[in-house]
Amino acid sequence: MDEVKKEQIIEDLRSLGLARGDLINVKMSLKSIGYVPGGAKTVLEAILEVIGPEGTIVTDSFVRVFRLPIIRNKKNKVTDEHTSSYAGALANAILEHPNVIRSTHPVQKFAAIGKLAKELMLNHTPESYAYDVLRKMTNMRGKNLKIGTDEQVVGVGTTHVAIGTLELKQKRPSLGVFYKNKFDEIELFKLNWSGICDKGLINFIPYYREAGAILSEGYVGKAEAKITDMKKTLEVELDLLKKDPTFFFCDDPCCDGCQLTWTFSEKKCLQFLLNCLHEKKYRRIIRVFLVEPFFRIINKI
């Protein structure tokens, strides 16, 4: 198996256009790069070497949530800056770095290393919008570095900012975590933002390209890679979603997230049921029509 060494990753990143002093939000599929000795830690070291001490790397370090009211029996599971993330190998490599700063948001935690890390992370609190870090980056000449295909690594981050800015509403299951507030008291935090169907995010790519939001494309190791301008991708998304808030919907007729949960979804439940029967997606029928209604009733007790 051919190795993709740190020196090659550094060369590939520079050829892609990553530069000293860049502020970057990174989304990555480690496996797509090829065999990297040292794994995500090596990729992180390469990125930090390219952007230098004047640059800043930001990545997701989100934590899992629990369904309410089951969470009420989980007060021993309190999220803090040490809680591991499900957001991938790079996220957890950053969390192990001695210079990492992690935001104090209870769920949508971000982690950062570099010149602007404190400014971005310490102001992302339980009172902040979940993706406010990315919103701020759009006004600070931030870029998104994606390593992996658009199917492997979905989105560029700013779509969540667009949805929050436009206040697009979605009915979601009641989810949350326990965390310690500024008074060191254990408090329940309830998920209070809308999500996105990952499969629909690829719809934006041609429009990013047309608007010049894709700054460069190339390879890192064996992985397709691109750098996008976060301010421009957000502008594209806001424009498209103002005209058609369903623009990010996927084409799966059995996707309950797109078909049923948004205030502007058509909510054709019978057609959705028939679609699922035709596709033999029986577990989805059980979840949507039996499990979710049950939990909505329980949450009101």
Side-chain angles (χ1 to χ4, degrees):
M1 181 182 295
D2 293 337
E3 293 184 349
V4 181
K5 296 183 178 180
K6 177 180 173 182
E7 292 73 21
Q8 180 184 341
I9 295 172
I10 290 172
E11 182 180 343
D12 289 347
L13 289 170
R14 286 177 173 153
S15 296
L16 187 64
L18 192 66
R20 194 170 187 85
D22 275 349
L23 167 62
I24 53 168
N25 170 45
V26 182
K27 299 169 77 67
M28 179 185 83
S29 165
L30 177 62
K31 183 169 64 174
S32 68
I33 298 174
Y35 174 65
V36 180
K41 182 179 178 182
T42 298
V43 179
L44 173 60
E45 290 172 354
I47 293 172
L48 290 173
E49 185 165 332
V50 174
I51 65 175
E54 295 299 301
T56 305
I57 178 174
V58 176
T59 188
D60 306 344
S61 67
F62 306 155
V63 302
R64 298 196 181 280
V65 292
F66 298 95
R67 186 185 289 275
L68 302 173
I70 293 176
I71 189 176
R72 301 186 193 285
N73 299 320
K74 296 185 179 292
K75 283 195 174 182
N76 60 321
K77 295 186 177 181
V78 178
T79 66
D80 58 26
E81 68 273 19
H82 303 296
T83 303
S84 61
S85 173
Y86 66 82
L90 182 62
N92 285 297
I94 285 182
L95 292 179
E96 293 173 0
H97 195 281
N99 297 329
V100 68
I101 299 176
R102 197 177 192 186
S103 68
T104 60
H105 192 281
V107 177
Q108 299 305 83
K109 294 177 178 292
F110 287 84
I113 301 170
K115 182 179 179 180
L116 300 174
K118 283 187 178 180
E119 179 180 347
L120 288 167
M121 297 299 105
L122 298 185
N123 290 315
H124 189 229
T125 68
E127 293 73 37
S128 304
Y129 172 57
Y131 293 93
D132 200 51
V133 168
L134 303 182
R135 180 191 63 79
K136 289 179 179 177
M137 289 179 69
T138 65
N139 296 317
M140 300 166 72
R141 301 179 67 185
K143 302 173 183 177
N144 177 273
L145 167 63
K146 180 191 287 192
I147 302 175
T149 66
D150 293 318
E151 291 80 11
Q152 291 170 317
V153 183
V154 298
V156 295
T158 52
T159 320
H160 292 282
V161 180
I163 284 176
T165 301
L166 297 174
E167 299 183 343
L168 303 182
K169 301 299 183 183
Q170 181 187 34
K171 189 174 183 63
R172 305 186 72 184
S174 296
L175 303 167
V177 296
F178 283 109
Y179 76 104
K180 284 189 177 181
N181 62 25
K182 59 184 178 182
F183 304 109
D184 208 33
E185 300 167 336
I186 295 178
E187 189 171 333
L188 176 63
F189 180 90
K190 295 182 180 179
L191 187 147
N192 59 3
W193 59 92
S194 298
I196 304 175
C197 174
D198 289 347
K199 290 181 286 186
L201 291 176
I202 199 169
N203 298 345
F204 290 98
I205 300 297
Y207 295 87
Y208 296 153
R209 198 179 307 282
E210 183 181 335
I214 299 177
L215 301 176
S216 62
E217 296 181 84
Y219 283 85
V220 173
K222 298 178 181 178
E224 293 182 19
K226 60 168 61 75
I227 296 176
T228 54
D229 182 312
M230 295 179 69
K231 185 174 183 180
K232 288 185 178 179
T233 59
L234 178 59
E235 288 172 350
V236 168
E237 293 156 355
L238 288 171
D239 182 60
L240 290 169
L241 292 173
K242 284 176 183 176
K243 297 173 182 174
D244 177 12
T246 70
F247 184 82
F248 62 88
F249 281 12
C250 72
D251 57 6
D252 179 2
C254 298
C255 175
D256 55 292
C258 292
Q259 301 296 322
L260 302 177
T261 65
W262 294 88
T263 56
F264 42 84
S265 298
E266 290 188 6
K267 297 183 177 64
K268 294 181 179 179
C269 293
L270 178 58
Q271 186 60 55
F272 176 81
L273 175 61
L274 293 174
N275 292 337
C276 291
L277 288 170
H278 181 263
E279 298 292 330
K280 298 182 180 179
K281 295 184 177 180
Y282 305 123
R283 289 186 180 180
R284 191 165 301 180
I285 293 172
I286 293 171
R287 175 172 59 80
V288 172
F289 292 103
L290 295 177
V291 175
E292 297 298 346
F294 169 76
F295 274 101
R296 281 198 291 270
I297 293 171
I298 291 295
N299 287 333
K300 294 179 181 179
I301 297 176

